[in-house]
Amino acid sequence: MATEESKFYHLAGILVADGGATKTSWCFSGKGSSTERFSTGGINPFFSTTDDLIKEWKQSPVVRLSGKVDRIFFYGAGIINEDKAQGIKKALEIFFPEAKAEVQGDLLAAARATLGNESGIACILGTGSNSCQYDGVKITAHVPPLGFVLGDEGSGADLGKQLVACYLKKIMPQPLREEFFQKYPLEYPEFLNRVYHHQNPNRFLAGFVPFLAENIGDEFCAKLVENAFDAFISRNVEQYSTARSQPICFVGSVAFHFQEQLKKVLLKRNLSPGIVLKEPLEKLVDYHIQFSNG
């Protein structure tokens, strides 16, 4: 008969989470069992309390994993320091008292997912943008992204901001302007109200990126995307000392859907394109199975 200890060892495994603003994607990989994937609500380290997280997880598939997990790796947007990680880590330790938990930011998730234990430059191009220099273990240099007002070059918010500005200033070619209005029948005051007087203007602006994707064959749209990526590369990636000798890797929906334009800009600047992932979770699970102890 199996002892309680041996049964626990058989069931024990790793739980990896990728927490974003709108949803958190989870993947459990148990020893001797298949992986299990599911989603819960988004997290905000600035507002989500330990009690909030525990209450939500009790109503989600997370609750089924109690007693089956010995290592947890939680990555999240907005986890910029140890203080922001503590609330999430405390919730994990209460929910999984038998497990060892590690809580890190989404930038390290991008680096581990794309580079594993190799060195290189890891970038995020989604609603926002970010980048870092990675030595195969830790982040060694970081250019601050500054948000969509001062930075976030090449992000969905940045692309949307430029697209809307070109539409309102009538820089956009007329046929495209007509198509844009058919898809988004908003008047000038409505655009300004949504950007300057509503919450999450970055998400509002990023919502126009599908128009660029649908019309990427148009020279105007292709050039807008390429110029935004060029700004991201010059103001962020090229600030790292190893940029010209290492692969430049990306995570995020914007990078994934505009890979052709991204690769074109990198090659034009004599940089080496690396792996591009829409989401990091699957590769993070592979990374922790291969490189994590315990």
Side-chain angles (χ1 to χ4, degrees):
M1 179 181 291
T3 64
E4 286 300 313
E5 182 179 357
S6 65
K7 283 194 291 184
F8 173 76
Y9 180 81
H10 175 72
L11 291 170
I14 67 168
L15 179 62
V16 183
D18 175 29
T22 57
K23 75 170 184 176
T24 299
S25 298
W26 303 77
C27 183
F28 169 70
S29 180
K31 295 171 183 175
S33 64
S34 59
T35 58
E36 179 182 352
R37 292 178 173 81
F38 54 90
S39 297
T40 58
I43 60 110
N44 186 326
F46 292 88
F47 302 107
S48 300
T49 67
T50 297
D51 289 341
D52 291 338
L53 294 171
I54 292 175
K55 183 178 179 180
E56 180 183 352
W57 294 345
K58 284 181 177 179
Q59 307 299 319
S60 77
V62 178
V63 74
R64 299 200 303 266
L65 300 177
S66 182
K68 299 181 180 181
V69 180
D70 58 358
R71 297 294 301 275
I72 305 172
F73 302 93
F74 192 106
Y75 299 91
I79 302 176
I80 57 176
N81 53 39
E82 187 63 25
D83 180 59
K84 298 305 177 189
Q86 279 307 305
I88 297 170
K89 189 171 184 180
K90 184 178 179 181
L92 291 169
E93 290 172 344
I94 292 173
F95 210 82
F96 298 100
E98 76 285 356
K100 181 179 179 181
E102 177 183 328
V103 179
Q104 301 284 357
D106 57 352
L107 196 53
L108 185 60
R112 286 176 169 176
T114 57
L115 291 161
N117 65 344
E118 302 293 329
S119 60
I121 308 298
C123 308
I124 297 173
L125 284 179
T127 299
S129 66
N130 210 341
S131 64
C132 70
Q133 181 175 287
Y134 176 71
D135 67 0
V137 177
K138 62 186 183 298
I139 292 172
T140 57
H142 175 233
V143 176
L146 302 182
F148 84 103
V149 174
L150 297 176
D152 271 3
E153 299 88 356
S155 68
D158 180 46
L159 293 174
K161 178 174 68 174
Q162 294 189 51
L163 184 67
V164 168
C166 287
Y167 170 75
L168 295 175
K169 291 177 180 290
K170 299 183 179 181
I171 296 171
M172 184 185 293
Q174 186 59 30
L176 273 181
R177 291 192 80 248
E178 294 173 2
E179 185 178 343
F180 187 87
F181 182 76
Q182 288 296 317
K183 191 173 181 69
Y184 311 105
L186 301 174
E187 299 296 337
Y188 175 76
E190 295 176 272
F191 280 108
L192 297 189
N193 185 48
R194 288 296 302 273
V195 171
Y196 292 107
H197 300 292
H198 280 232
Q199 291 185 334
N200 302 315
N202 56 330
R203 294 187 202 171
F204 169 70
L205 291 169
F208 296 101
V209 171
F211 183 85
L212 285 169
E214 293 164 6
N215 293 278
I216 198 62
D218 186 282
E219 184 180 1
F220 170 84
C221 292
K223 186 58 68 174
L224 187 152
V225 172
E226 289 170 17
N227 286 343
F229 287 166
D230 193 67
F232 174 78
I233 299 301
S234 65
R235 294 171 63 83
N236 298 275
V237 174
E238 289 189 334
Q239 303 308 310
Y240 301 114
S241 60
T242 61
R244 299 206 173 275
S245 60
Q246 295 182 327
I248 318 297
C249 299
F250 294 84
V251 165
S253 57
V254 171
F256 183 81
H257 289 297
F258 297 104
Q259 291 185 58
E260 181 179 338
Q261 290 71 36
L262 187 55
K263 183 177 180 179
K264 180 179 178 180
V265 171
L266 288 167
L267 293 176
K268 184 179 178 181
R269 288 184 168 271
N270 296 314
L271 299 172
S272 301
I275 188 174
V276 178
L277 301 174
K278 185 178 181 180
E279 297 177 343
L281 186 60
E282 186 174 333
K283 290 294 185 180
L284 283 172
V285 173
D286 293 342
Y287 170 86
H288 286 297
I289 290 175
Q290 184 174 0
F291 298 114
S292 297
N293 296 316

